Amino acid sequence: MELLIAFSLLIILTVFQEQISCLSLSVPASPGYYQDGHFVIGGLFSLRVTARDNRIKFGFNDTMTIPEAVIVNLTKNYQHILAMVFAIEKINKDPNILFNMSLGFYLFNVDFSETKAMESSMALLSGGSPPIPNYSCRPEKTDKLVAVIGGISTGISAQISRVLSLYNVPQISYAPFAVSHGTGVQLQSPYQFPGHTVALYQGIIQLLLYFTWIWVGLVVPDDMRGEFFIKEITEEMINHGICVAFTEKDPVFPSGGEIGWQELIVRLILTRVVVAFGDTHDFLKLVSLIISGAIFGNIWITTSDWYTTLLPFKQNRIYTYFGGALSFSVHLDEILAFKDFQRSVHPRKYPHDIFIQRVWSNLFECSHVYEHGVRKLNQCEQNGSLSTRSLNVWDMNTSPLSYKVHAAVYAIAQALHEELSLRVNRDSLDKGELQAPLPWKLHPFLKKGQLGTNINEENTVNQEDSATKLDIFNYHSLQSGTKAQVKVGEFMFEFHSVQHLSLNDELINLGIYNNPIPLSACKQSCLLGFRKKQEDLYAFCCYDCVPCPAGEITNETGMDQCFKCPEDQYANKQRNQCLPKIIAFLSHEDTLGVVLVSMAISLSAFSAMILGLFIHYRDTPIVRANNRNLSYILLVSLMLCFFCSLIFIGQPRTVTCVLRQMIFGVVFSVALSAVLAKTFIVVVAFKAIKPGSTLQMWMVTRLSNAIVCCGSIIQVCICAVWLGTYPPFPDVDMQSEYGQIILLCNEGSTLAFYSVLGYLGFLASLSLLIAFLARRLPDTFNEAKTITFSMLVFCSVWISFIPTYLSSTGKTMVAVEIFSILASSAGLLGCMFLPKCYVILLRSGGHSRKKFFK
């Protein structure tokens, strides 16, 4: 009996101690907003940012209570709670979803404190606030908990998961969660929505390329999610020719002077475009950076919808300075009837909502009082509606996070529906007798649901839809101080397919400092005529500009390499444009051509005059000496030599290219053969008139004629072989003269060409040698001296011709050959016939002639 009494007292003392433990913790934790139902979903949201003393831990009564100082009220985040309440109300109105059973909720505001997130998670499990670890003070609440939705950041979600995973309670994170963030071993990671990170990276890069912004700064949260973003997008940016100017982790502008103003200003001046990866809560201290950077005209690109409502700065300033930013957001449809629901929200409708009082006070600027520790509104609009608030304090459009909260509630309801359906079919129980399932039983249904995948599943980690559509918004600063997001484009991303970016340039407003759209580069693009000189890692962004080499251009700014113009074009002096080359050849209209034509015709006429003079005085001894027929042949051939130079002038054609070298070679060979024959006559005729000589003059004459014929026939044979093998043909030279296309005659066989010249040289040398040996023969009409001198002139001209010809190009080459023809022919004409003309005209008078014959 005594043992029974002692055991009873022990039980009573234990129960009483539990009650004392549940009631003795007087330090208030975050109070919750509770609505009963057959099943309860927990919600952990962040409505404000507070400064809290680190000594407060889990609300134990040995800790001194220090009031929280509110830094920022993010009023817009209250829409997350409304989305959850709206979804639960719709589900409860449909008896088919939960078999005529209802959903309830237990909501907490964890601010942006990981400590409060852990406190509230424990409060969900213990059923009250302050929480009691491993105790269930209110079983009627804790036994109904089936899942939890929260939190807004990776750090908060990780702390919630630490607590919930101990009890295997499903958690759905409505904000991005980095798998590798964990600070220790986690038994269970939260479910999350697809992140669409690949599509986001590509969308940002395509936007930067669209505006040719290649010098970009990156600002990320100071966690593994930010590290992963920097690593992945940096590689993609470099692959697309975009450079990272700097990377900064939040807090970007912390108090305490970790980053100085000077360094901050330098970065903003040098970097026009900044990409901020994260949500509003990730960059609460970034507002100072935005305001500071506005005077430099920085353009911000955000990766989610930023809400700058009720920040601790003058609203007009923040909206003015943040105007012009571009924002990426996953395309989501509006929640049906959600706007109507928001219009109906009022503190009177939800008297137990402990959060709406503060929100309403901020939105409608109402005064408030505290009665028994409860905040009561005073002097507020009786019929106030959220729809009447301006855009700078409330936006009726569904935010992406609100959409996800709404979808998370339906995912949990669907999992409950499937679990209850199995129990009904298996046990055939009355629907009214069904109890809330244990939370861990919902995991199989959540894993295969449409929400997303559990990130612990290796084969389904971070899977994304095959097609992702991102909306691009532009923040517009209105004159009234309100801000509005205007959709200015969209980006469609499909794996293994073409990406499509569409923008409406007319709707984009990048702020007062960025009109027109500015460039963002480490260095301005190289001007036309210059190329980039790469030196370091980021050479494609930071580089030197060097002029293009001669003959090369750049026809676009910022080119890496210069390129050569087509062969029929040339680079201008600025080296930024290819101009058509001028077609050049020695024409009759050129000054040089006119001079050469005049010289050729004049010398030909002069030759004709000498020929006429010789014919007229054909019976004089000086004409008859050395075979006057050879003189006629020589004069005619010289006249033809002068005329053949005219074929070299004019646009080269097939006929002229073939004829000019052939006629030149044959005619000159006739002339030189005649000179050789004259030289031969000088020597042989002297021997024929010696006493006892068997040579007759008629034999000498025939022999001289044979010399002319043979000498000419050999050259004709050489030219025939040339024509039969590789004859001359019209050609173009695009390289020799800058800016010109030279029309010329390609000689075809170089060997044949120099064979013709060589044969003429042989005839001239032979004539020179014989004439030189016969220069002192005692003959009154000895032509050896004049032949010697004429051959010296001829050989000098053609010996100097060869190096000059080889070093010349274009018109000059043709002019050199014409000049050599005219000079050598004129040398022969002048040296051999001018002395004779002098004798005929000036010294062949009556008295002189008699004296001459005596």
Side-chain angles (χ1 to χ4, degrees):
M1 187 64 180
E2 293 178 356
L3 182 61
L4 180 61
I5 293 174
F7 182 73
S8 299
L9 290 175
L10 180 61
I11 293 176
I12 294 173
L13 182 61
T14 302
V15 172
F16 183 70
Q17 186 177 2
E18 287 187 14
Q19 296 297 325
I20 291 175
S21 299
C22 289
L23 298 176
S24 62
L25 300 178
S26 58
V27 177
S30 300
Y33 172 24
Y34 180 78
Q35 177 178 301
D36 198 15
H38 293 91
F39 316 108
V40 173
I41 301 176
L44 303 176
F45 302 99
S46 301
L47 304 181
R48 61 183 183 176
V49 179
T50 59
R52 192 179 189 192
D53 192 275
N54 292 330
R55 289 176 295 171
I56 302 179
K57 297 181 180 179
F58 310 117
F60 288 106
N61 58 1
D62 59 345
T63 306
M64 179 178 63
T65 302
I66 300 179
E68 295 175 333
V70 178
I71 299 177
V72 180
N73 281 303
L74 294 177
T75 312
K76 180 60 179 175
N77 286 5
Y78 180 66
Q79 192 187 67
H80 306 164
I81 293 179
L82 294 183
M84 184 168 180
V85 173
F86 174 68
I88 290 176
E89 288 186 2
K90 285 202 305 181
I91 291 171
N92 290 338
K93 292 178 182 178
D94 188 347
N96 297 322
I97 297 180
L98 298 179
F99 301 97
N100 223 6
M101 305 178 77
S102 63
L103 272 178
F105 53 79
Y106 200 1
L107 310 181
F108 288 87
N109 173 29
V110 301
D111 296 333
F112 285 87
S113 169
E114 296 182 9
T115 301
K116 292 186 69 174
M118 185 171 289
E119 288 181 35
S120 299
S121 300
M122 296 177 64
L124 280 172
L125 297 172
S126 64
S129 178
I132 308 298
N134 294 325
Y135 281 92
S136 178
C137 297
R138 296 177 177 82
E140 69 278 6
K141 291 184 179 181
T142 57
D143 292 347
K144 298 178 181 179
L145 183 67
V146 292
V148 177
I149 300 174
I152 201 170
S153 68
T154 297
I156 292 176
S157 295
Q159 298 305 325
I160 296 172
S161 177
R162 279 179 172 274
V163 177
L164 298 182
S165 61
L166 297 176
Y167 301 92
N168 211 5
V169 177
Q171 174 193 355
I172 299 178
S173 176
Y174 61 92
F177 180 83
V179 182
S180 55
H181 174 82
T183 55
V185 178
Q186 294 184 12
L187 300 178
Q188 171 184 308
S189 296
Y191 297 92
Q192 64 174 338
F193 292 86
H196 307 289
T197 54
V198 177
L200 182 61
Y201 299 156
Q202 296 300 324
I204 293 174
I205 290 173
Q206 293 302 319
L207 180 68
L208 296 174
L209 294 176
Y210 180 86
F211 291 111
T212 63
W213 292 332
I214 60 172
W215 187 244
V216 182
L218 299 179
V219 180
V220 299
D222 190 10
D223 56 18
M224 292 303 298
R225 187 163 55 104
E227 292 282 356
F228 184 77
F229 175 81
I230 291 176
K231 178 179 179 296
E232 293 296 322
I233 201 170
T234 300
E235 294 178 0
E236 289 295 324
M237 290 170 69
I238 293 177
N239 292 337
H240 288 81
I242 303 173
C243 296
V244 178
F246 68 89
T247 57
E248 198 65 54
K249 298 179 181 179
D250 182 65
V252 177
F253 184 58
S255 58
E258 295 180 21
I259 178 172
W261 274 102
Q262 184 177 1
E263 182 180 355
L264 172 64
I265 293 174
V266 169
R267 286 181 175 178
L268 291 175
I269 292 175
L270 298 180
T271 310
R272 199 65 177 271
V273 178
V274 183
V275 176
F277 172 75
D279 298 292
T280 311
H281 56 268
D282 292 320
F283 303 114
L284 293 175
K285 296 178 181 179
L286 190 61
V287 178
S288 299
L289 184 64
I290 296 172
I291 295 178
S292 303
I295 59 176
F296 306 115
N298 295 101
I299 299 172
W300 293 86
I301 299 176
T302 67
T303 58
S304 64
D305 189 9
W306 279 29
Y307 300 112
T308 52
T309 54
L310 298 181
L311 292 172
F313 300 93
K314 292 293 184 180
Q315 294 173 9
N316 290 346
R317 292 183 61 195
I318 184 60
Y319 299 136
T320 299
Y321 291 135
F322 199 60
L326 296 168
S327 175
F328 280 86
S329 180
V330 178
H331 177 77
L332 301 172
D333 296 326
E334 283 288 332
I335 301 175
L336 188 63
F338 186 49
K339 287 186 178 180
D340 295 334
F341 172 76
Q342 292 182 77
R343 293 187 184 95
S344 67
V345 171
H346 195 274
R348 292 193 304 270
K349 182 178 179 181
Y350 298 99
H352 301 292
D353 186 350
I354 63 173
F355 309 118
I356 197 172
Q357 305 293 329
R358 182 181 296 274
V359 172
W360 218 259
S361 174
N362 292 326
L363 289 179
F364 291 89
E365 299 179 358
C366 304
S367 60
H368 57 273
V369 296
Y370 287 93
E371 295 181 4
H372 307 291
V374 179
R375 184 170 182 165
K376 298 292 185 181
L377 297 177
N378 187 25
Q379 298 178 353
C380 262
E381 297 181 20
Q382 296 297 322
N383 298 319
S385 173
L386 296 176
S387 61
T388 63
R389 299 297 87 192
S390 58
L391 287 172
N392 66 319
V393 292
W394 187 266
D395 191 350
M396 296 292 289
N397 295 320
T398 305
S399 70
L401 294 184
S402 298
Y403 186 94
K404 292 180 180 180
V405 170
H406 182 271
V409 174
Y410 268 88
I412 295 172
Q414 180 65 27
L416 283 171
H417 174 82
E418 295 182 9
E419 201 279 338
L420 294 176
S421 298
L422 291 178
R423 291 167 59 184
V424 169
N425 296 333
R426 182 176 64 250
D427 300 332
S428 299
L429 297 177
D430 184 15
K431 297 178 183 178
E433 297 178 359
L434 290 176
Q435 300 297 321
L438 295 175
W440 58 267
K441 290 188 176 182
L442 295 186
H443 282 294
F445 304 103
L446 288 174
K447 288 180 181 179
K448 67 179 181 180
Q450 297 181 356
L451 167 71
T453 59
N454 188 308
I455 58 179
N456 287 328
E457 297 292 333
E458 294 182 357
N459 59 338
T460 57
V461 171
N462 291 331
Q463 289 185 350
E464 300 191 13
D465 297 335
S466 59
T468 303
K469 182 179 180 181
L470 300 178
D471 292 331
I472 303 175
F473 294 93
N474 182 212
Y475 285 82
H476 284 198
S477 298
L478 306 181
Q479 294 181 354
S480 61
T482 61
K483 62 95 183 176
Q485 279 185 297
V486 178
K487 182 178 177 180
V488 295
E490 60 185 28
F491 175 70
M492 182 63 69
F493 175 82
E494 295 184 20
F495 283 102
H496 311 296
S497 181
V498 178
Q499 304 168 19
H500 178 67
L501 174 71
S502 61
L503 289 174
N504 188 342
D505 294 339
E506 296 180 356
L507 297 179
I508 297 178
N509 180 7
L510 298 179
I512 59 176
Y513 299 101
N514 298 311
N515 190 15
I517 296 175
L519 296 175
S520 179
C522 174
K523 182 182 179 70
Q524 295 298 324
S525 297
C526 292
L527 300 177
L528 299 179
F530 292 81
R531 68 171 179 86
K532 298 177 181 177
K533 182 181 179 183
Q534 300 182 356
E535 292 182 350
D536 53 15
L537 176 63
Y538 288 140
F540 52 87
C541 289
C542 298
Y543 45 81
D544 292 329
C545 295
V546 295
C548 290
E552 299 184 5
I553 69 163
T554 55
N555 57 1
E556 295 180 4
T557 58
M559 294 186 66
D560 295 326
Q561 296 294 334
C562 304
F563 63 91
K564 292 184 177 181
C565 292
E567 287 192 351
D568 59 343
Q569 298 179 1
Y570 71 99
N572 59 356
K573 292 183 179 180
Q574 293 76 22
R575 300 174 185 176
N576 59 6
Q577 187 179 5
C578 288
L579 302 177
K581 288 184 177 180
I582 301 173
I583 297 177
F585 58 90
L586 186 59
S587 67
H588 299 87
E589 290 78 14
D590 290 342
T591 303
L592 182 59
V594 171
V595 171
L596 293 175
V597 168
S598 301
M599 291 176 59
I601 295 175
S602 300
L603 292 172
S604 297
F606 188 63
S607 301
M609 291 173 60
I610 295 176
L611 177 62
L613 182 65
F614 268 55
I615 293 174
H616 185 268
Y617 293 101
R618 60 184 176 275
D619 295 326
T620 59
I622 197 169
V623 175
R624 294 173 59 187
N626 300 102
N627 196 331
R628 61 186 172 189
N629 291 332
L630 288 177
S631 298
Y632 296 156
I633 293 173
L634 181 57
L635 285 170
V636 172
S637 62
L638 289 176
M639 193 186 321
L640 293 177
C641 285
F642 292 129
F643 274 121
C644 79
S645 64
L646 299 177
I647 306 177
F648 287 80
I649 303 174
Q651 182 174 348
R653 304 182 186 279
T654 303
V655 175
T656 57
C657 286
V658 172
L659 288 181
R660 68 184 190 179
Q661 296 295 355
M662 304 305 164
I663 293 176
F664 157 71
V666 172
V667 171
F668 256 83
S669 66
V670 173
L672 291 176
S673 297
V675 173
L676 180 61
K678 275 181 169 291
T679 309
F680 178 78
I681 288 175
V682 170
V683 177
V684 176
F686 178 77
K687 294 184 179 294
I689 62 176
K690 285 184 177 181
S693 175
T694 58
L695 288 175
Q696 301 295 326
M697 288 304 298
W698 62 270
M699 297 176 61
V700 174
T701 303
R702 289 185 178 182
L703 188 59
S704 63
N705 293 335
I707 291 174
V708 173
C709 293
C710 292
S712 303
I713 290 173
I714 293 174
Q715 186 74 293
V716 170
C717 293
I718 296 174
C719 292
V721 173
W722 188 2
L723 288 175
T725 55
Y726 195 5
F729 58 90
D731 199 1
V732 293
D733 181 5
M734 298 184 179
Q735 307 299 330
S736 298
E737 294 290 339
Y738 183 74
Q740 293 184 356
I741 299 177
I742 301 173
L743 301 183
L744 51 83
C745 287
N746 191 312
E747 306 304 342
S749 175
T750 306
L751 177 62
F753 173 69
Y754 286 105
S755 296
V756 169
L757 293 181
Y759 180 70
L760 295 177
F762 168 75
L763 292 177
S765 301
L766 186 60
S767 299
L768 175 61
L769 178 62
I770 296 175
F772 180 77
L773 296 176
R775 70 188 185 281
R776 298 187 183 275
L777 293 176
D779 189 359
T780 304
F781 300 104
N782 186 5
E783 287 185 305
K785 293 181 180 180
T786 58
I787 293 174
T788 302
F789 190 72
S790 64
M791 286 299 101
L792 285 174
V793 173
F794 184 90
C795 293
S796 300
V797 169
W798 286 104
I799 289 174
S800 62
F801 159 78
I802 294 176
T804 308
Y805 181 82
L806 294 177
S807 61
S808 303
T809 57
K811 297 180 182 180
T812 308
M813 178 183 290
V814 180
V816 166
E817 187 170 0
I818 295 174
F819 181 78
S820 298
I821 293 173
L822 295 177
S824 59
S825 301
L828 288 176
L829 181 65
C831 294
M832 295 189 65
F833 293 100
L834 283 182
K836 296 179 180 179
C837 292
Y838 171 76
V839 172
I840 292 172
L841 295 176
L842 299 180
R843 304 193 61 180
S844 60
H847 300 288
S848 299
R849 188 182 302 241
K850 292 179 181 179
K851 187 183 294 184
F852 180 79
F853 283 108
K854 287 181 180 180

